[in-house]
Amino acid sequence: MRHIKGLTLLLALGTALPALAASDKLLLTGGVSQLEGAAGGGLTPWAVIAGYGTRDQIGGSAFYTNVRSQDYELGAGGVAVGLWDRVELSYARQRFNTRDVGGALGLGTGFAFSQDIFGVKVKVLGDAILDQDSWMPQISVGMQYKRNDQGAVLQAIGAQKDHGTDFYVSATKLFLGQSFLANVTMRQTKANQLGILGFGGDKKDGYSTQFETSLAYLLRKDLAIGVEYRTKPDNLKIAREDNWYDVFIAYQPVKNVSVTLAYAQLGNIVIKDNQRAPYLSMQLGF
Amino acid sequence: MKTTTLAFTIATLVSLALPLSARADSELSTYQALGEKPGLVKIMDDFMGNLLADARTRPFFEKADQTRIKEQLVIQICAVLGGPCTYEGAPMGPVHASLGIRQEHFNALVEDLQLAMDKQGVPFRAQNKLLAKLAPMHREIITR
């Protein structure tokens, strides 16, 4: 039901938003919405600014993503505004359903962690799309403030905080002549499993540097395939945390709508190992 | 997991190095994929039609000498791709200086060019190779 509501809201927004602003960036060059709400790949932020707004315009996007592994389910939805192709403000809410695992851990079947994520990203230099005669990628810096709603449980599993801030720098370059896009992101974070399991831990408390990358190949104007990889900290004694990767296909049937389908390897999550998940995301951009 | 990290790092670095080797790619093959001069003439006809039908770009072209613009574009693109042409028209900067072109107009023009190339059956990769050659002109064309 919740998913249907999410989609209905998206569709309603989709019909309302284009009227608010012009939209003149090039197709599939704005990325999609990553899990934490920033414009990017599925797992990682890119240096691009959300939406189709150019340097004289305001653009934006809205998304809903569902990731369901054997034992867990993550739903994420959010909105982002891109100001003059320079500043991106985003909000996302994630809900992580522990399903039967919650019951096994005494939290109750279907116990869920939710978190709000407020993001800001600023383009510092370069143009990923237009500067095709130069090696210079587009570079942006960003931060994501996250607040989890299950402070008591997080404390019990060894997390140090129920809120935290990630800082990142992203470099994105479209190699148009090769129909190829590359992104590299370095992130400073304390977040356990994106923050779903809190921030900092009893094994390690403190920021660590993580590496994320997306590689995409454009098959057609409206179709891209690629891979992503994201390293993660390992702060909690209670459970090992693994790096994530995925393969994806993104399709943009019309300019304002994109659909991303991925298959993600999420590794160990608390008491369940080898979590694999289809990832489905729908995005509206204007 | 360390191995995977390394593998992806290498993949990323290799991918960043790709354009170097691709420079060796013959631009002439792009020229051929566009159908050489006869192909370019057809593409520019459709392109101009698209520009005039597009409310975002029409104001810049409706009062211009469309025939001359099409001819100059054929020669310019032929020359840019290493074809048997020499572009002797005006440089991009002065020609566009007073037009007040914004990025949204530039991007709209790219879309209209893509549509024209689609219509002539130009493969997507060849389209991108041409667009990669033209994109840097944004610095001289976008003045607002």
Side-chain angles (χ1 to χ4, degrees), chain A residues 24-25 54-56 130-133 135 175-180 184 213 217-221 229 255, chain B residues 1 5 8 12 15-16 19 22 56 102-103 107 111 118 124-125 128-129 132 135-136 138-139 142:
Chain A
D24 297 296
K25 246 184 232 170
T54 64
R55 64 187 76 155
D56 307 300
L130 293 178
D131 291 343
Q132 289 297 321
D133 53 349
W135 279 77
F175 298 101
L176 187 53
Q178 287 69 44
S179 306
F180 182 80
V184 177
T213 184
Y217 181 70
L218 304 174
L219 289 171
R220 296 195 321 223
K221 200 158 48 173
Y229 186 64
K255 191 163 184 175
Chain B
M1 276 307 166
T5 313
F8 270 86
T12 308
S15 71
L16 290 173
R56 301 169 296 181
R102 290 180 190 265
Q103 190 182 3
N107 289 355
E111 287 180 10
D118 282 345
F124 180 61
R125 278 183 64 87
N128 287 347
K129 283 185 193 294
H138 76 93
R139 292 187 206 105
I142 302 171

Side-chain angles (χ1 to χ4, degrees), chain B residues 133-144:
Chain B
K133 287 276 176 196
L134 302 181
M137 292 178 185
H138 76 93
R139 292 187 206 105
E140 295 160 294
I141 291 174
I142 302 171
T143 53
R144 270 207 305 172

Side-chain angles (χ1 to χ4, degrees), chain B residues 1-53:
Chain B
M1 276 307 166
K2 282 275 156 57
T3 335
T4 330
T5 313
L6 188 66
F8 270 86
T9 311
I10 291 169
T12 308
L13 292 176
V14 167
S15 71
L16 290 173
L18 265 180
L20 266 189
S21 58
R23 290 263 163 84
D25 257 30
S26 151
E27 288 156 352
L28 264 178
S29 69
T30 308
Y31 177 63
Q32 284 153 2
L34 290 163
E36 305 193 352
K37 229 172 180 174
L40 280 173
V41 168
K42 281 187 203 154
I43 291 167
M44 289 308 128
D45 280 342
D46 290 335
F47 180 36
M48 185 56 73
N50 295 343
L51 291 169
L52 293 170

Side-chain angles (χ1 to χ4, degrees), chain A residues 99-130:
Chain A
R99 294 163 61 197
D100 289 344
V101 175
L105 295 175
L107 296 167
T109 299
F111 176 86
F113 296 90
S114 290
Q115 66 171 345
D116 295 302
I117 303 170
F118 299 90
V120 57
K121 186 200 289 178
V122 179
K123 177 165 103 179
V124 181
L125 75 158
D127 187 305
I129 315 299
L130 293 178

